[in-house]
Amino acid sequence: MGKGGSLSDNVIKNIILSYTYVSIWILLSFTVIVYNKYILDKKLYNWPFPISLTMIHMSFCATLAFLLVKVFRFVDPVSMSKDLYLSSVVPIGALYSLSLWLSNSAYIYLSVSFIQMLKALMPVAVYSIGVLFKKESFKADTMLNMVSISFGVAIAAYGEARFDTWGVVLQLGAVAFEATRLVLIQILLTSKGITLNPITSLYYVAPCCLVFLLVPWIFVEYPVLKESSSFEFDFVIFGTNSFCAFALNLAVFLLVGKTSALTMNVAGVVKDWLLIAFSWSVIKDTVTPINLFGYGLAFLGVAYYNHAKLQSLKAKEAEKKIAQTGEEAGRLLGEKQGQGSDK
């Protein structure tokens, strides 16, 4: 085989690897969501303690991250001062703990399918908070797209058979906190030149999350758990659940690092449809035609937003290449002129 055949083999290999990364992420994300629903739902495993479950996840992730960083030295820790930790990691940890707490709490009140529909509001929240913090420029067409996504989610909510106001408030709160966390990561970490992979992120953030979750846990869930003397900790259930949560963090890094954030967004849409189908067919949650129509509108809005983002990235890349070409041409011209003057 010639060079053409070799190139073809490399292309095929990259395509297979990309689909493998996407499949791993979808499988783990799907598993964690369904597993959390199983544990928290009163009709299933019946352990409705979202703060405790989140703390178990963070304890497991913090312990494993510590072992990988400090004991096995699988990755090197990031050089970080106390002031930088307090100004950057602590706010992100606080927002992450609130996002996980509220999103896990929502599974007690809402169906898996409806939660995925509400998560379609994430681009709306990220863009709105980005504009508020001046990380995104306000554009009328983008805002119109955000309104169309919100309108689609509103229709889906109107058609929800098991609509629960408190559950919706919890999930919308989780979306707001998660969007703020993503914007803060962009502001606080990237602006200061800090790069964290999932292991170092958990090494620094997970203990911080535990501290923030400890306060509401003492007042909200600990008294109830103390009275529930019949409960016995199931190491198989909570151990495998926590391991899946840790593996998902690694899968996110693998997917974004080897492909792109846009690929993860597209894969997320596939995962959402799979979860809706699973929720309807296996868990027997009610999914109405109005649900699907509304989510379909939101899905089109999200797809257009991702397409616009892709075009913007391509345009910036083209401008960068043109600028580099111009600089290279100027350098060569300068060298030629220099050679001419030497003669």
Side-chain angles (χ1 to χ4, degrees):
M1 251 187 191
K3 290 183 179 179
S6 177
L7 179 63
S8 177
D9 289 343
N10 287 333
V11 170
I12 292 172
K13 182 181 178 182
N14 288 334
I15 290 172
I16 292 172
L17 284 174
S18 295
Y19 276 106
T20 302
Y21 299 140
V22 168
S23 300
I24 291 171
W25 179 80
I26 289 177
L27 176 64
L28 286 170
S29 183
F30 185 97
T31 302
V32 169
I33 289 170
V34 174
Y35 213 158
N36 287 352
K37 172 67 175 177
Y38 168 75
I39 291 172
L40 294 165
D41 198 306
K42 294 177 181 178
K43 296 179 181 177
L44 299 172
Y45 188 75
N46 190 24
W47 200 69
F49 300 102
I51 305 176
S52 301
L53 182 63
T54 308
M55 289 178 70
I56 290 169
H57 288 173
M58 289 298 102
S59 299
F60 184 90
C61 290
T63 303
L64 218 55
F66 177 83
L67 290 172
L68 290 171
V69 172
K70 288 294 187 180
V71 179
F72 300 108
R73 301 190 182 278
F74 185 76
V75 293
D76 295 323
V78 176
S79 178
M80 189 179 299
S81 66
K82 181 180 177 182
D83 290 339
L84 186 59
Y85 183 85
L86 292 174
S87 64
S88 300
V89 176
V90 170
I92 290 169
L95 290 166
Y96 193 37
S97 63
L98 288 168
S99 171
L100 291 172
W101 171 18
L102 297 185
S103 62
N104 281 335
S105 299
Y107 287 111
I108 300 173
Y109 305 95
L110 303 176
S111 67
V112 171
S113 58
F114 187 45
I115 286 175
Q116 301 316 121
M117 294 176 189
L118 291 174
K119 284 182 180 178
L121 289 170
M122 184 60 76
V124 180
V126 171
Y127 177 73
S128 301
I129 294 168
V131 170
L132 187 65
F133 283 93
K134 297 182 179 179
K135 292 302 294 182
E136 294 274 0
S137 56
F138 179 84
K139 295 179 181 177
D141 56 341
T142 305
M143 185 51 72
L144 184 63
N145 185 25
M146 298 298 106
V147 171
S148 70
I149 295 171
S150 303
F151 182 66
V153 173
I155 293 174
Y158 176 78
E160 175 60 20
R162 288 179 52 202
F163 186 91
D164 185 283
T165 303
W166 180 237
V168 171
V169 169
L170 289 170
Q171 184 56 47
L172 292 181
V175 169
F177 284 124
E178 178 62 11
T180 308
R181 184 181 76 92
L182 294 174
V183 173
L184 274 187
I185 287 173
Q186 187 180 1
I187 295 172
L188 297 176
L189 296 186
T190 57
S191 63
K192 296 177 181 177
I194 300 173
T195 304
L196 297 175
N197 61 45
I199 297 173
T200 51
S201 294
L202 291 171
Y203 176 76
Y204 290 109
V205 174
C208 185
C209 287
L210 272 174
V211 172
F212 280 106
L213 289 167
L214 188 63
V215 177
W217 180 77
I218 289 172
F219 294 101
V220 178
E221 293 188 1
Y222 175 69
V224 182
L225 284 167
K226 193 177 180 181
E227 293 177 4
S228 304
S229 56
S230 60
F231 174 74
E232 292 182 8
F233 190 85
D234 191 325
F235 285 94
V236 175
I237 291 290
F238 291 103
T240 53
N241 179 247
S242 298
F243 183 79
C244 288
F246 180 82
L248 178 59
N249 280 280
L250 299 184
V252 169
F253 174 73
L254 187 68
L255 181 60
V256 175
K258 300 296 183 181
T259 57
S260 68
L262 190 64
T263 301
M264 193 175 82
N265 288 340
V266 175
V269 172
V270 176
K271 178 207 70 179
D272 290 344
W273 281 110
L274 287 173
L275 279 166
I276 290 170
F278 179 85
S279 178
W280 170 74
S281 61
V282 179
I283 304 178
K284 303 301 179 183
D285 286 331
T286 303
V287 179
T288 67
I290 298 177
N291 273 151
L292 295 177
F293 176 73
Y295 182 65
L297 288 178
F299 161 72
L300 291 175
V302 172
Y304 178 79
Y305 176 75
N306 288 335
H307 173 74
K309 277 283 188 184
L310 179 61
Q311 296 305 314
S312 176
L313 288 172
K314 285 183 177 179
K316 286 180 181 178
E317 192 66 29
E319 288 176 5
K320 191 185 292 185
K321 285 183 179 179
I322 291 170
Q324 288 174 348
T325 303
E327 289 175 4
E328 183 68 20
R331 186 181 64 79
L332 291 172
L333 182 62
E335 288 177 357
K336 285 182 179 180
Q337 290 175 344
Q339 290 171 359
S341 61
D342 290 341
K343 292 179 180 178

